[in-house]
Amino acid sequence: MWRYRGVIPIINDNNIVTFQEGNTPLTEVILPNNKLVWIKQDHLFPTGSYKDRGASVLISKAKELGVSKIIQDSSGNAGAAIAAYAAAANIPCEIYLPEETSLSKIVQIEAYGAKIIKVPGSRKDTAKRALMESQNSYYASHSYNPYFFQGTKTFAYELAEQLNWNAPDILVIPAGNGTLLLGCYIGFHELVQQKIIQKMPKLVAVQSEKCSPLFHYFHDQNFNMNLYEPSETIAEGIAIPNPVRLSQMFQAIKKTGGDVVLVSDSEIIEAWKYISRLGYFIEPTSAATIAGLINYSNNLDPNLKIASVFTGSGLKSIDKIQKILGQTNIKL
Ligand SMILES: *Cc1c(COP(=O)(O)O)cnc(C)c1O
């Protein structure tokens, strides 16, 4: 991803923290509805998710600033990415996690040498605690810290380059905190401004119907996020009830003429199984995006160029996948 060094705001090359990551393969996939789509395989990153794009730039900046300790809060993949790049930069790192975080994600974070602090209560309580602690350390938050988005924007540059410097007509991406969504908006917007591509792709965001603040905000003017009560979903990685950049996500989608769509847990499981049988191993959260892609592409003109993403590796959530496989007799 550092092939786009010229647009990444790190001053001194010596501060770049990288595993030579990115430039992930773009492969053609035929969906169950026979639509042909382009999918970027961002589950192939060093820590197993696209969060490495953001972590590489954010930790490079922390190094550039001479930060002596970083903290971050996450329910999984962002924590793992920050912990890995902090290890590479030799910066001590503390990750705040909700008490009931799944074991495989805690293990990965701990393996990189980060200190884990489990916070009782909800994901929101964890974020509050991290925000409080960040008075004395550098807050490497993937939702607040703008440098994270300077990393995720490389997704747009890679995708455009892989399509011979064209944008797709439609880009279907997940929306929890919107780190990929907003990164894509920034990246494609820069490419249009530099006249490298002609137009923005329509950004279509996917949420779980069990946790869908952006969907409600987008479709209902009277929606009040603070009163919103989500329920549990298999797509844990995008279940963010109070995203701090909600109105920015709304603006990005509106400006591109995009949409927000919902998927059910059974659609997610069905999409996961379909993708697995093609030989791709992705986590259930990733399959939510593909379920949304299948629904949304149903009625589209076959001549439109549609792109999407595998966001995270199946190795991230073996426990959840075990449950899905144990349910193969369930009629979906
Ligand atoms: C982080 C993540 C998402 C969603 O990203 P947001 O920034 O919360 O919108 C989707 N899939 C996976 C695997 C992730 O790790």
Side-chain angles (χ1 to χ4, degrees):
M1 60 178 249
W2 287 91
R3 68 201 277 105
Y4 309 109
R5 170 77 183 94
V7 293
I8 300 175
I10 298 298
I11 297 161
N12 188 331
D13 280 0
N14 294 332
N15 296 323
I16 294 174
V17 183
T18 178
F19 297 107
Q20 307 299 325
E21 65 291 281
N23 212 2
T24 52
L26 180 70
T27 54
E28 281 181 45
V29 170
I30 296 178
L31 299 178
N33 61 14
N34 278 327
K35 289 271 160 38
L36 183 126
V37 295
W38 293 96
I39 300 200
K40 249 180 106 55
Q41 296 186 54
D42 271 23
H43 63 307
L44 301 179
F45 268 95
T47 78
S49 87
Y50 79 86
K51 298 288 195 310
D52 291 358
R53 294 183 186 277
S56 181
V57 176
L58 194 157
I59 297 298
S60 298
K61 194 64 197 177
K63 192 175 167 190
E64 189 147 271
L65 293 169
V67 163
S68 59
K69 182 181 138 193
I70 63 172
I71 68 155
Q72 135 85 310
D73 59 298
S74 163
S75 56
N77 291 343
I82 292 291
Y85 285 81
N90 200 20
I91 302 174
C93 172
E94 285 180 1
I95 307 283
Y96 289 76
L97 294 173
E99 212 162 30
E100 75 287 4
T101 303
S102 69
L103 184 66
S104 54
K105 297 189 173 178
I106 300 181
V107 167
Q108 188 184 12
I109 292 169
E110 202 154 22
Y112 294 131
K115 186 174 164 197
I116 288 171
I117 295 120
K118 285 190 194 168
V119 182
S122 68
R123 176 71 184 82
K124 212 170 156 184
D125 295 322
T126 307
K128 238 186 252 170
R129 172 77 186 279
L131 200 55
M132 204 173 75
E133 300 290 337
S134 68
Q135 307 298 322
N136 307 313
S137 320
Y138 188 74
Y139 190 19
S141 165
H142 56 296
S143 44
Y144 286 101
N145 194 306
Y147 286 98
F148 200 87
F149 298 82
Q150 291 297 315
T152 53
K153 81 177 183 187
T154 58
F155 181 95
Y157 281 81
E158 287 177 20
L159 178 56
E161 184 172 0
Q162 285 166 324
L163 296 173
N164 294 318
W165 293 111
N166 288 297
D169 296 300
I170 289 155
L171 177 58
V172 180
I173 31 185
N177 278 308
T179 58
L180 187 59
L181 173 69
L182 293 170
C184 284
Y185 182 83
I186 294 168
F188 280 114
H189 188 66
E190 287 177 0
L191 288 166
V192 169
Q193 282 193 318
Q194 294 167 71
K195 300 195 164 60
I196 292 168
I197 60 171
Q198 308 305 315
K199 58 163 181 56
M200 297 288 289
K202 275 187 191 186
L203 297 179
V204 175
V206 182
Q207 295 207 298
S208 158
E209 64 179 13
K210 304 259 184 73
C211 185
S212 45
L214 179 62
F215 176 86
H216 293 292
Y217 189 82
F218 194 82
H219 293 286
D220 169 13
Q221 290 187 333
N222 300 318
F223 175 68
N224 182 343
M225 180 172 73
N226 296 320
L227 301 178
Y228 183 64
E229 288 289 342
S231 49
E232 213 178 300
T233 165
I234 190 165
E236 51 171 5
I238 49 169
I240 313 290
N242 308 89
V244 294
R245 295 182 184 273
L246 185 68
S247 70
Q248 287 180 6
M249 288 192 267
F250 171 83
Q251 293 292 336
I253 294 164
K254 260 277 182 274
K255 282 182 185 158
T256 65
D259 204 350
V260 185
V261 298
L262 295 184
V263 291
S264 68
D265 275 11
S266 61
E267 287 171 326
I268 294 170
I269 291 170
E270 210 172 344
W272 179 86
K273 284 184 187 166
Y274 180 81
I275 291 301
S276 301
R277 297 306 185 269
L278 298 179
Y280 299 99
F281 195 48
I282 61 174
E283 67 172 293
T285 295
S286 274
T289 304
I290 305 308
L293 173 69
I294 294 167
N295 288 347
Y296 190 80
S297 63
N298 271 335
N299 300 316
L300 291 178
D301 179 338
N303 293 317
L304 290 174
K305 197 174 280 175
I306 308 165
S308 189
V309 57
F310 293 149
T311 49
S313 164
L315 296 170
K316 290 282 193 163
S317 42
I318 293 298
D319 41 354
K320 282 228 162 74
I321 290 172
Q322 213 170 10
K323 275 189 201 141
I324 296 175
L325 292 175
Q327 288 174 352
T328 43
N329 294 327
I330 289 180
K331 208 168 177 309
L332 294 166

